[in-house]
């Protein structure tokens, strides 16, 4: 993470000081980041929502330090600088075995580009600094080198999956894409006679065999309703479901599995927060801060609640690259700010938002912070405690898990003060016709029979990702993104929308003289699946004067040959 620029620190301090000038601040104790006065102005404290239980907290505005909790060995809780990029991904027990290796007969046909020659630049070794950047996103000024996702020194071999080529490179510097592709049966097909290139990963990811097996095995052997019966299958199903919760907690670096609520996905989880925190604590005149690059799922629920409560939505603008304008954010923050709800990574532009810094700033005003991780969890390690958010949400289907399951992290201090959202079975302690008492979190937020089998599938997906390692995945995707960005930028008439310095592996573009739908269809004819449309993020695209874009998005099973095929189609359209 980059250090704060000095001028930004000065602005934060000045702004807070100005707003609290009638209130003495008491200096900055050690450990308080960025020189921000540690004690919030009294007027902020007064305007905190009256949350039962908060009063007993010594300083409700204090930023909790990320502490080592019950999951000391969580890979995703490891600070980036301590990761060792030279450690090869561990073998994947879920893999369907090593692909057969043969020497390439015609590599151009196989990979859609010339085979790497002796003069092909060797892969750039991944330095600690490089890893840090991969984990936090892409910088466009980084020199681009082709083919480096697959390891320059690697033995390049041909593998056929129903005629679909892949490269195996058993090095520590790149993923073994050939073996990984073998784990995803859906990739083994042709569309319009061409090998399927799935470049629509921001919409949904494909599922590895281990996930498919976990779901079908659950139904074949363990299926039962949970939490409510003495029989063996109920015990097994309950254990499987609760193990999934523990896995999610570890994956997010949460303190405990009690902090994790299962939901249908990101959308439902945000609605849960809006309808509990929002409806209970928002008042007339309160402000909700959202960024310009939010998905509709992080706009509409807040609009609905704001309308009911008389609260106002304020929008944090972005610059011409699609990056948050931090001094505008600072200007918007004020004691009326009740919640800051931010996407971790934009699904339309790819921008990674500096959510940890933004959360720290929001906390100084007593605001709650929600982070929408739909587009981040599959691309970078997440630690909700060091991020300092109150809520973190994501969808299983964006990270190789099933649809219909996702998770909501709720910081412990909010468990008791949030009301339940939906009522029904599973979330109660005792019911009479006069009165119901509720279970504790997380059961309080999970009314009715949950999606047990897909929680089991989600666990399998997160285990799969953990075995490969998010830093390895991030490095691979970084290469693909740089490669595609460089090639697409060179096409006359093509404009990339969203050129942030920190990006996940998403590219949005428009091509002069061609509708995005036309481009999407032409790519489909070549077997290449990309998204074209507004991506459920209309305000973010309108900021750049467009209604729709073409949006390829890359994942761990994509390779440079697929990007070359996509670029060829777009280039030939551009010539027309
Ligand atoms: N937030 C972001 C950033 C997304 O990209 C998406 C889906 O594309 C969502 C929220 C909504 O996710 P879901 O439809 O799985 O609830």
């Amino acid at each position: 993470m980059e250090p704060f620029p000095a001028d930004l620190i000065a602005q934060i301090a000045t702004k807070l000081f100005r707003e609290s000038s009638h209130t003495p601040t008491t200096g900055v104790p050690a450990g308080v980041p960025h020189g921000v006065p540690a004690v919030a102005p009294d007027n902020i404290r007064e305007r905190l929502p009256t949350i039962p239980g908060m009063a007993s907290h010594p300083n409700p505005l204090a930023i909790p330090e990320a502490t080592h909790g019950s999951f000391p060995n969580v890979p995703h809780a490891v600070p980036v600088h301590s990761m060792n990029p030279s450690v090869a991904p561990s073998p994947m027990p879920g893999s369907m075995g090593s692909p057969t290796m043969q020497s390439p007969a015609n590599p151009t046909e196989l990979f859609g580009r010339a085979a790497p020659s002796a003069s092909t630049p060797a892969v750039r070794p991944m330095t600690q600094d490089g890893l840090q950047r991969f984990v936090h996103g892409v910088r466009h000024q980084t020199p681009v080198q082709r083919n480096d996702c697959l390891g320059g020194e690697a033995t390049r071999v041909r593998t056929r999956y129903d005629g679909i080529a892949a490269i195996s490179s058993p090095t520590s510097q790149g993923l073994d894409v050939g073996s990984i592709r073998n784990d995803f049966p859906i990739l083994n097909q042709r569309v319009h006679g061409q090998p399927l290139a799935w470049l629509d990963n921001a919409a949904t990811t494909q599922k590895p065999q281990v996930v498919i097996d976990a779901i079908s095995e659950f139904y074949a052997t363990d299926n039962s309703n949970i939490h409510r019966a003495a029989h063996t299958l109920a015990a097994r199903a309950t254990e499987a479901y609760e193990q999934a919760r523990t896995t999610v907690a570890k994956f997010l670096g949460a303190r405990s599995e009690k902090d994790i609520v299962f939901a249908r996905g990101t959308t439902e989880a945000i609605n849960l927060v809006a309808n509990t925190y929002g409806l209970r604590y928002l008042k007339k005149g309160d402000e909700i801060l959202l960024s310009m690059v939010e998905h509709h799922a992080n706009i509409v629920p807040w609009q609905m609640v704001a309308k009911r409560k008389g609260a106002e939505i304020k929008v944090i603008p972005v610059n011409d690259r699609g990056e948050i304008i931090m001094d505008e954010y600072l200007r918007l923050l004020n004691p009326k700010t009740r919640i800051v709800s931010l996407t971790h990574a934009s699904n339309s532009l790819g921008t990674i938002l500096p959510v940890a810094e933004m959360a720290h700033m929001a906390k100084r005003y007593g605001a709650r912070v929600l982070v929408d991780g739909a587009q981040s969890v599959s691309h970078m390690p997440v630690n909700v405690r060091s991020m300092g958010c109150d809520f973190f949400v994501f969808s299983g289907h964006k990270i190789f898990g099933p649809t219909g399951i996702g998770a909501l992290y709720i910081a412990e201090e909010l468990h008791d003060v949030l009301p339940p959202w939906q009522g029904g079975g599973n979330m109660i302690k005792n019911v009479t016709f006069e009165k119901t008492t509720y279970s504790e979190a997380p059961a309080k937020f999970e009314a009715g029979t949950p999606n047990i089998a897909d929680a089991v599938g989600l666990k399998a997906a997160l285990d799969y990702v953990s075995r490969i390692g998010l830093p390895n995945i991030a490095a691979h995707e970084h290469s693909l993104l740089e490669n595609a960005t460089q090639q697409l930028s060179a096409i006359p008439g093509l404009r990339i929308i969203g050129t942030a310095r920190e990006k996940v592996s998403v590219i949005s573009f428009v091509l002069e003289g061609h509708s995005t739908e036309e481009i999407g269809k032409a790519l489909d004819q070549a077997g290449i699946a990309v998204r074209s449309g507004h991506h459920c993020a209309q305000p973010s695209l309108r900021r750049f004067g467009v209604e729709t874009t073409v949006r390829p998005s890359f994942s761990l099973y994509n390779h440079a040959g697929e990007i070359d095929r996509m670029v060829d189609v777009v280039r030939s359209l551009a010539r027309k």
Side-chain angles (χ1 to χ4, degrees), residues 201-204 264-270 293-298 342-348 372-376 393-398 403-406 535-537 551:
N201 295 289
T204 200
R264 268 198 304 134
T266 305
T267 305
E268 189 175 70
I270 296 173
V293 297
E294 297 306 320
H295 188 281
H296 298 164
N298 199 24
L342 301 167
T343 191
H344 196 176
S346 153
N347 71 315
S348 55
D372 169 355
Q375 294 296 338
S376 63
V393 298
F394 75 95
S395 301
H397 72 97
K398 307 272 192 198
T403 50
I405 188 80
H535 321 304
C536 297
R551 185 196 64 182

Side-chain angles (χ1 to χ4, degrees), residues 142-409:
T142 308
V144 173
Q145 292 192 356
R146 302 273 311 272
N147 306 329
D148 56 356
C149 56
L150 298 165
E153 303 308 316
T155 314
R156 292 174 185 276
V157 295
R158 184 183 82 171
T159 311
R160 280 213 172 263
Y161 309 96
D162 185 27
I164 297 165
I167 301 173
S168 178
S169 82
T171 72
S172 61
Q173 290 178 343
L175 297 184
D176 184 348
V177 177
S179 172
I180 286 172
R181 289 180 71 85
N182 240 356
D183 293 337
F184 291 81
I186 201 167
L187 300 177
N188 182 21
Q189 66 176 292
R190 288 173 180 268
V191 169
H192 301 301
Q194 301 295 325
L196 169 64
W198 184 257
L199 304 182
D200 195 13
N201 295 289
T204 200
T205 51
Q206 298 302 350
K207 317 305 169 203
Q209 190 63 47
V210 278
V211 169
I212 299 166
D213 288 348
I215 298 166
S216 74
E217 274 166 30
F218 174 81
Y219 281 124
T221 59
D222 297 335
N223 180 47
S224 165
N225 210 325
I226 55 169
H227 293 153
R228 295 171 214 156
H231 58 72
T232 301
L233 265 58
R236 275 198 230 144
T238 303
E239 196 188 335
Y241 183 70
E242 293 305 331
Q243 271 178 5
R245 196 191 303 280
T246 304
T247 299
V248 173
K250 288 180 179 175
F251 195 81
L252 298 182
R255 177 196 58 96
S256 150
E257 58 279 349
K258 290 188 185 139
D259 302 342
I260 304 301
V261 173
F262 282 117
R264 268 198 304 134
T266 305
T267 305
E268 189 175 70
I270 296 173
N271 274 277
L272 191 158
V273 177
N275 283 282
T276 54
Y277 179 79
L279 278 188
R280 168 70 61 95
Y281 297 111
L282 284 174
K283 306 184 303 296
K284 191 170 170 45
D286 282 347
E287 293 178 1
I288 300 165
L289 282 196
L290 307 175
S291 85
M292 179 65 83
V293 297
E294 297 306 320
H295 188 281
H296 298 164
N298 199 24
I299 300 174
V300 184
W302 295 115
Q303 270 173 346
M304 293 163 87
V305 169
K307 198 166 170 202
R308 283 175 68 178
K309 304 296 289 190
E312 229 184 299
I313 290 184
K314 301 273 176 173
V315 182
I316 312 159
V318 293
N319 64 21
D320 290 344
R321 290 191 295 262
E323 298 163 328
I324 293 291
I325 305 174
M326 289 298 265
D327 52 2
E328 291 293 332
Y329 171 55
L330 271 172
R331 245 189 291 283
L332 284 167
L333 275 174
N334 74 78
K336 287 187 285 183
T337 309
R338 193 57 61 228
I339 184 137
V340 178
S341 196
L342 301 167
T343 191
H344 196 176
S346 153
N347 71 315
S348 55
L349 311 179
T351 312
I352 297 173
L353 276 67
V355 286
E357 288 90 334
M358 294 176 82
H360 281 225
M361 292 176 193
K363 292 281 160 175
R364 295 292 165 188
Y365 289 86
R368 295 293 175 189
V369 177
L370 182 148
V371 175
D372 169 355
Q375 294 296 338
S376 63
V377 280
S378 67
H379 301 297
M380 65 185 94
V382 163
N383 185 304
V384 287
R385 283 178 297 159
S386 53
M387 198 181 278
C389 58
D390 299 289
F391 308 101
F392 185 94
V393 298
F394 75 95
S395 301
H397 72 97
K398 307 272 192 198
I399 182 163
F400 317 110
T403 50
I405 188 80
L408 160 64
Y409 159 82

